[in-house]
Amino acid sequence: SGYGGSFDTYYEYLYGAVNRCNYVIGNVEKMLSEASPASVKNLEAILGEARLLRGMTYFRLIAMWGDVPYLGHTVLDNAEVEYLARSPIAAVKDSILADFTFAFEKLPEQAPALGRAAKPAALAFRGKLHLFWASWKKNGWPELAGFEPNATEAMASFGAAAKDLKSVASDFGLTLYKN
């Protein structure tokens, strides 16, 4: 394959990850309704990890393709998604932001094991999303039809990213210097 080959496969794998995250989210939410008080915190952390992963996957999708179909449920049959329309990038971004914020609220302060997520990861990805959105809103995205620059929205996103950066820095005991 030449330059750009295998993008369809990458797209397929990303949506496979979204579907697996949605599967975990749906099943853990069912478990939460019947869970003992002792296991609620662990189940919420699993839910936070799944939403963090789903947000990361959608972040990759919008960074590569702009407007993409949004799936918030588990797909059991290809007929469900055969004629799925693209969702506006702003709506997908808001869903990603909601996933990162939820993950930040539910994940533990420190990862319980190697390879597990914690609050700083969710906060860092939320800050990264804000930075990308601010850059896109500041500079525009000519390839994406209907995407208009907006300086006010860009500055708000830059401010939100700075706030998240300060929070991550304080979590790790780092000092930020202002030039």
Short mmCIF file of all heavy atoms in Angstrom, two decimals, residues 41-83:
data_model
loop_
_atom_site.label_atom_id
_atom_site.label_comp_id
_atom_site.label_asym_id
_atom_site.label_seq_id
_atom_site.Cartn_x
_atom_site.Cartn_y
_atom_site.Cartn_z
N LYS A 41 -16.85 1.61 44.72
CA LYS A 41 -15.69 2.44 44.37
C LYS A 41 -14.84 1.79 43.28
O LYS A 41 -14.39 2.45 42.34
CB LYS A 41 -14.85 2.73 45.61
CG LYS A 41 -13.78 3.75 45.38
CD LYS A 41 -13.13 4.17 46.67
CE LYS A 41 -12.11 5.23 46.39
NZ LYS A 41 -11.78 6.04 47.53
N ASN A 42 -14.63 0.48 43.38
CA ASN A 42 -13.85 -0.25 42.38
C ASN A 42 -14.57 -0.25 41.03
O ASN A 42 -13.95 -0.05 39.98
CB ASN A 42 -13.56 -1.67 42.84
CG ASN A 42 -12.63 -2.40 41.89
OD1 ASN A 42 -11.64 -1.84 41.43
ND2 ASN A 42 -12.95 -3.64 41.60
N LEU A 43 -15.88 -0.45 41.04
CA LEU A 43 -16.65 -0.45 39.79
C LEU A 43 -16.65 0.94 39.15
O LEU A 43 -16.55 1.07 37.93
CB LEU A 43 -18.08 -0.91 40.04
CG LEU A 43 -18.26 -2.40 40.33
CD1 LEU A 43 -19.69 -2.70 40.75
CD2 LEU A 43 -17.86 -3.24 39.13
N GLU A 44 -16.73 1.98 39.97
CA GLU A 44 -16.67 3.34 39.44
C GLU A 44 -15.31 3.63 38.82
O GLU A 44 -15.21 4.34 37.82
CB GLU A 44 -17.01 4.36 40.52
CG GLU A 44 -18.48 4.39 40.87
CD GLU A 44 -18.83 5.40 41.95
OE1 GLU A 44 -17.92 5.82 42.70
OE2 GLU A 44 -20.02 5.75 42.04
N ALA A 45 -14.24 3.10 39.41
CA ALA A 45 -12.91 3.28 38.83
C ALA A 45 -12.81 2.57 37.48
O ALA A 45 -12.22 3.11 36.54
CB ALA A 45 -11.84 2.75 39.79
N ILE A 46 -13.38 1.40 37.37
CA ILE A 46 -13.40 0.68 36.09
C ILE A 46 -14.19 1.47 35.07
O ILE A 46 -13.78 1.62 33.91
CB ILE A 46 -13.98 -0.74 36.26
CG1 ILE A 46 -13.02 -1.60 37.10
CG2 ILE A 46 -14.25 -1.40 34.92
CD1 ILE A 46 -13.60 -2.91 37.57
N LEU A 47 -15.32 2.02 35.49
CA LEU A 47 -16.13 2.87 34.61
C LEU A 47 -15.33 4.10 34.18
O LEU A 47 -15.37 4.50 33.01
CB LEU A 47 -17.40 3.28 35.36
CG LEU A 47 -18.57 3.81 34.57
CD1 LEU A 47 -19.00 2.84 33.49
CD2 LEU A 47 -19.73 4.09 35.52
N GLY A 48 -14.59 4.69 35.10
CA GLY A 48 -13.73 5.84 34.77
C GLY A 48 -12.66 5.48 33.76
O GLY A 48 -12.39 6.24 32.83
N GLU A 49 -12.04 4.32 33.92
CA GLU A 49 -11.02 3.88 32.96
C GLU A 49 -11.62 3.66 31.58
O GLU A 49 -11.02 4.04 30.57
CB GLU A 49 -10.34 2.60 33.44
CG GLU A 49 -9.39 2.81 34.59
CD GLU A 49 -8.69 1.54 35.03
OE1 GLU A 49 -8.93 0.46 34.45
OE2 GLU A 49 -7.88 1.62 35.97
N ALA A 50 -12.80 3.05 31.53
CA ALA A 50 -13.44 2.79 30.24
C ALA A 50 -13.82 4.10 29.56
O ALA A 50 -13.64 4.26 28.34
CB ALA A 50 -14.68 1.92 30.42
N ARG A 51 -14.30 5.06 30.32
CA ARG A 51 -14.66 6.35 29.72
C ARG A 51 -13.42 7.13 29.31
O ARG A 51 -13.43 7.84 28.31
CB ARG A 51 -15.55 7.14 30.68
CG ARG A 51 -16.90 6.45 30.81
CD ARG A 51 -18.05 7.23 31.15
NE ARG A 51 -18.24 8.53 30.59
CZ ARG A 51 -19.18 9.35 31.03
NH1 ARG A 51 -20.00 8.97 32.01
NH2 ARG A 51 -19.32 10.54 30.50
N LEU A 52 -12.33 6.99 30.06
CA LEU A 52 -11.07 7.62 29.66
C LEU A 52 -10.61 7.03 28.33
O LEU A 52 -10.24 7.77 27.41
CB LEU A 52 -10.00 7.41 30.73
CG LEU A 52 -8.60 7.94 30.40
CD1 LEU A 52 -8.60 9.45 30.30
CD2 LEU A 52 -7.60 7.47 31.44
N LEU A 53 -10.63 5.71 28.20
CA LEU A 53 -10.21 5.07 26.96
C LEU A 53 -11.11 5.44 25.78
O LEU A 53 -10.64 5.68 24.67
CB LEU A 53 -10.16 3.55 27.13
CG LEU A 53 -9.03 3.03 28.01
CD1 LEU A 53 -9.22 1.54 28.28
CD2 LEU A 53 -7.69 3.29 27.37
N ARG A 54 -12.43 5.50 26.02
CA ARG A 54 -13.34 5.90 24.96
C ARG A 54 -13.06 7.34 24.53
O ARG A 54 -13.01 7.64 23.34
CB ARG A 54 -14.80 5.75 25.41
CG ARG A 54 -15.79 6.12 24.31
CD ARG A 54 -17.21 5.86 24.72
NE ARG A 54 -17.66 6.79 25.76
CZ ARG A 54 -18.87 6.76 26.29
NH1 ARG A 54 -19.76 5.84 25.91
NH2 ARG A 54 -19.21 7.62 27.22
N GLY A 55 -12.82 8.22 25.50
CA GLY A 55 -12.49 9.60 25.17
C GLY A 55 -11.19 9.71 24.38
O GLY A 55 -11.09 10.46 23.41
N MET A 56 -10.18 8.93 24.76
CA MET A 56 -8.91 8.94 24.04
C MET A 56 -9.11 8.46 22.60
O MET A 56 -8.51 9.01 21.67
CB MET A 56 -7.89 8.04 24.76
CG MET A 56 -7.43 8.58 26.10
SD MET A 56 -6.56 7.36 27.13
CE MET A 56 -5.25 6.83 26.08
N THR A 57 -9.95 7.46 22.42
CA THR A 57 -10.19 6.92 21.09
C THR A 57 -10.92 7.93 20.22
O THR A 57 -10.54 8.16 19.06
CB THR A 57 -10.98 5.60 21.19
OG1 THR A 57 -10.28 4.70 22.04
CG2 THR A 57 -11.17 4.97 19.83
N TYR A 58 -11.96 8.55 20.76
CA TYR A 58 -12.67 9.58 19.99
C TYR A 58 -11.79 10.78 19.71
O TYR A 58 -11.90 11.42 18.66
CB TYR A 58 -13.96 10.01 20.69
CG TYR A 58 -15.14 9.17 20.30
CD1 TYR A 58 -15.79 8.38 21.22
CD2 TYR A 58 -15.60 9.15 18.98
CE1 TYR A 58 -16.87 7.59 20.86
CE2 TYR A 58 -16.67 8.36 18.61
CZ TYR A 58 -17.30 7.59 19.56
OH TYR A 58 -18.36 6.81 19.18
N PHE A 59 -10.89 11.10 20.63
CA PHE A 59 -9.94 12.20 20.41
C PHE A 59 -9.09 11.90 19.18
O PHE A 59 -8.88 12.76 18.32
CB PHE A 59 -9.09 12.38 21.66
CG PHE A 59 -8.22 13.61 21.67
CD1 PHE A 59 -8.38 14.65 20.77
CD2 PHE A 59 -7.23 13.73 22.62
CE1 PHE A 59 -7.58 15.77 20.80
CE2 PHE A 59 -6.41 14.84 22.66
CZ PHE A 59 -6.58 15.86 21.75
N ARG A 60 -8.61 10.68 19.07
CA ARG A 60 -7.82 10.28 17.90
C ARG A 60 -8.67 10.37 16.64
O ARG A 60 -8.22 10.84 15.59
CB ARG A 60 -7.28 8.86 18.09
CG ARG A 60 -6.58 8.27 16.88
CD ARG A 60 -5.33 9.01 16.50
NE ARG A 60 -4.37 8.86 17.56
CZ ARG A 60 -3.23 9.55 17.62
NH1 ARG A 60 -2.91 10.40 16.69
NH2 ARG A 60 -2.41 9.38 18.62
N LEU A 61 -9.91 9.92 16.73
CA LEU A 61 -10.80 9.96 15.56
C LEU A 61 -11.04 11.39 15.07
O LEU A 61 -10.93 11.65 13.87
CB LEU A 61 -12.14 9.28 15.89
CG LEU A 61 -12.13 7.76 15.88
CD1 LEU A 61 -13.34 7.20 16.63
CD2 LEU A 61 -12.10 7.24 14.46
N ILE A 62 -11.36 12.33 15.98
CA ILE A 62 -11.63 13.69 15.50
C ILE A 62 -10.35 14.39 15.04
O ILE A 62 -10.40 15.22 14.14
CB ILE A 62 -12.39 14.56 16.54
CG1 ILE A 62 -11.55 14.84 17.78
CG2 ILE A 62 -13.73 13.96 16.85
CD1 ILE A 62 -12.14 15.91 18.70
N ALA A 63 -9.22 14.02 15.64
CA ALA A 63 -7.96 14.63 15.20
C ALA A 63 -7.61 14.20 13.77
O ALA A 63 -7.02 14.96 13.02
CB ALA A 63 -6.82 14.24 16.16
N MET A 64 -8.02 13.00 13.40
CA MET A 64 -7.69 12.50 12.08
C MET A 64 -8.77 12.78 11.04
O MET A 64 -8.46 13.02 9.88
CB MET A 64 -7.41 11.00 12.14
CG MET A 64 -6.18 10.68 12.95
SD MET A 64 -5.78 8.94 12.96
CE MET A 64 -5.19 8.71 11.31
N TRP A 65 -10.05 12.74 11.45
CA TRP A 65 -11.13 12.83 10.47
C TRP A 65 -12.12 13.96 10.71
O TRP A 65 -13.05 14.14 9.92
CB TRP A 65 -11.89 11.49 10.39
CG TRP A 65 -11.13 10.44 9.68
CD1 TRP A 65 -10.96 10.33 8.33
CD2 TRP A 65 -10.39 9.36 10.25
NE1 TRP A 65 -10.18 9.24 8.03
CE2 TRP A 65 -9.81 8.62 9.20
CE3 TRP A 65 -10.16 8.94 11.56
CZ2 TRP A 65 -9.02 7.50 9.41
CZ3 TRP A 65 -9.38 7.82 11.77
CH2 TRP A 65 -8.82 7.11 10.70
N GLY A 66 -12.00 14.73 11.78
CA GLY A 66 -12.94 15.81 12.04
C GLY A 66 -14.29 15.28 12.48
O GLY A 66 -14.40 14.64 13.52
N ASP A 67 -15.33 15.54 11.70
CA ASP A 67 -16.66 15.03 12.01
C ASP A 67 -16.66 13.51 11.84
O ASP A 67 -16.27 12.99 10.79
CB ASP A 67 -17.71 15.61 11.05
CG ASP A 67 -17.86 17.12 11.18
OD1 ASP A 67 -17.45 17.68 12.22
OD2 ASP A 67 -18.40 17.73 10.25
N VAL A 68 -17.07 12.80 12.89
CA VAL A 68 -17.11 11.33 12.85
C VAL A 68 -18.42 10.86 13.47
O VAL A 68 -19.03 11.57 14.26
CB VAL A 68 -15.92 10.69 13.60
CG1 VAL A 68 -14.61 11.00 12.93
CG2 VAL A 68 -15.91 11.09 15.06
N PRO A 69 -18.87 9.66 13.14
CA PRO A 69 -20.06 9.12 13.80
C PRO A 69 -19.78 8.92 15.29
O PRO A 69 -18.68 8.52 15.67
CB PRO A 69 -20.28 7.78 13.12
CG PRO A 69 -19.57 7.88 11.82
CD PRO A 69 -18.40 8.79 12.06
N TYR A 70 -20.76 9.23 16.11
CA TYR A 70 -20.61 9.02 17.55
C TYR A 70 -21.51 7.87 17.99
O TYR A 70 -22.70 7.87 17.72
CB TYR A 70 -20.97 10.28 18.35
CG TYR A 70 -20.70 10.09 19.83
CD1 TYR A 70 -19.41 10.26 20.32
CD2 TYR A 70 -21.70 9.70 20.70
CE1 TYR A 70 -19.14 10.05 21.66
CE2 TYR A 70 -21.43 9.47 22.03
CZ TYR A 70 -20.15 9.65 22.51
OH TYR A 70 -19.87 9.42 23.83
N LEU A 71 -20.91 6.90 18.66
CA LEU A 71 -21.64 5.75 19.18
C LEU A 71 -21.54 5.77 20.69
O LEU A 71 -20.44 5.68 21.25
CB LEU A 71 -21.03 4.44 18.67
CG LEU A 71 -21.03 4.25 17.16
CD1 LEU A 71 -20.20 3.03 16.79
CD2 LEU A 71 -22.45 4.09 16.67
N GLY A 72 -22.66 5.88 21.36
CA GLY A 72 -22.67 5.88 22.81
C GLY A 72 -23.24 4.61 23.39
O GLY A 72 -23.57 4.55 24.57
N HIS A 73 -23.35 3.58 22.58
CA HIS A 73 -23.90 2.30 23.02
C HIS A 73 -23.13 1.17 22.34
O HIS A 73 -22.42 1.40 21.37
CB HIS A 73 -25.40 2.20 22.68
CG HIS A 73 -25.66 2.17 21.20
ND1 HIS A 73 -25.62 3.30 20.42
CD2 HIS A 73 -25.93 1.14 20.37
CE1 HIS A 73 -25.86 2.96 19.16
NE2 HIS A 73 -26.06 1.66 19.10
N THR A 74 -23.33 -0.03 22.84
CA THR A 74 -22.68 -1.19 22.25
C THR A 74 -23.40 -1.58 20.96
O THR A 74 -24.62 -1.66 20.93
CB THR A 74 -22.72 -2.38 23.22
OG1 THR A 74 -22.13 -1.99 24.45
CG2 THR A 74 -21.98 -3.58 22.66
N VAL A 75 -22.63 -1.77 19.91
CA VAL A 75 -23.19 -2.18 18.62
C VAL A 75 -23.13 -3.70 18.56
O VAL A 75 -22.07 -4.30 18.70
CB VAL A 75 -22.38 -1.56 17.45
CG1 VAL A 75 -22.89 -2.08 16.12
CG2 VAL A 75 -22.44 -0.05 17.51
N LEU A 76 -24.29 -4.30 18.32
CA LEU A 76 -24.37 -5.76 18.28
C LEU A 76 -24.51 -6.30 16.86
O LEU A 76 -24.32 -7.48 16.63
CB LEU A 76 -25.54 -6.24 19.14
CG LEU A 76 -25.47 -5.83 20.61
CD1 LEU A 76 -26.74 -6.23 21.34
CD2 LEU A 76 -24.24 -6.42 21.27
N ASP A 77 -24.86 -5.43 15.91
CA ASP A 77 -25.08 -5.87 14.54
C ASP A 77 -24.62 -4.76 13.59
O ASP A 77 -24.87 -3.57 13.84
CB ASP A 77 -26.57 -6.15 14.33
CG ASP A 77 -26.88 -6.78 12.99
OD1 ASP A 77 -25.97 -6.91 12.15
OD2 ASP A 77 -28.05 -7.16 12.78
N ASN A 78 -23.97 -5.13 12.51
CA ASN A 78 -23.50 -4.14 11.54
C ASN A 78 -24.62 -3.29 10.96
O ASN A 78 -24.40 -2.16 10.56
CB ASN A 78 -22.74 -4.82 10.40
CG ASN A 78 -21.37 -5.28 10.83
OD1 ASN A 78 -20.83 -4.81 11.82
ND2 ASN A 78 -20.81 -6.22 10.08
N ALA A 79 -25.83 -3.83 10.92
CA ALA A 79 -26.97 -3.07 10.38
C ALA A 79 -27.24 -1.81 11.20
O ALA A 79 -27.77 -0.83 10.68
CB ALA A 79 -28.22 -3.95 10.35
N GLU A 80 -26.85 -1.81 12.48
CA GLU A 80 -27.04 -0.64 13.34
C GLU A 80 -26.21 0.55 12.88
O GLU A 80 -26.58 1.69 13.15
CB GLU A 80 -26.65 -0.96 14.78
CG GLU A 80 -27.55 -1.90 15.50
CD GLU A 80 -27.08 -2.11 16.93
OE1 GLU A 80 -26.99 -1.13 17.69
OE2 GLU A 80 -26.79 -3.28 17.27
N VAL A 81 -25.10 0.30 12.24
CA VAL A 81 -24.18 1.38 11.90
C VAL A 81 -23.97 1.53 10.39
O VAL A 81 -23.13 2.32 9.96
CB VAL A 81 -22.81 1.19 12.59
CG1 VAL A 81 -22.96 1.34 14.09
CG2 VAL A 81 -22.19 -0.15 12.24
N GLU A 82 -24.71 0.80 9.62
CA GLU A 82 -24.51 0.80 8.17
C GLU A 82 -24.67 2.19 7.56
O GLU A 82 -23.90 2.57 6.68
CB GLU A 82 -25.48 -0.19 7.52
CG GLU A 82 -25.19 -0.44 6.07
CD GLU A 82 -26.06 -1.54 5.50
OE1 GLU A 82 -26.96 -2.05 6.20
OE2 GLU A 82 -25.82 -1.90 4.34
N TYR A 83 -25.65 2.94 7.99
CA TYR A 83 -25.91 4.26 7.42
C TYR A 83 -25.79 5.35 8.47
O TYR A 83 -26.53 6.33 8.45
CB TYR A 83 -27.30 4.29 6.77
CG TYR A 83 -27.41 3.30 5.64
CD1 TYR A 83 -28.15 2.13 5.81
CD2 TYR A 83 -26.77 3.51 4.43
CE1 TYR A 83 -28.24 1.20 4.78
CE2 TYR A 83 -26.85 2.59 3.41
CZ TYR A 83 -27.59 1.44 3.59
OH TYR A 83 -27.68 0.52 2.58
#
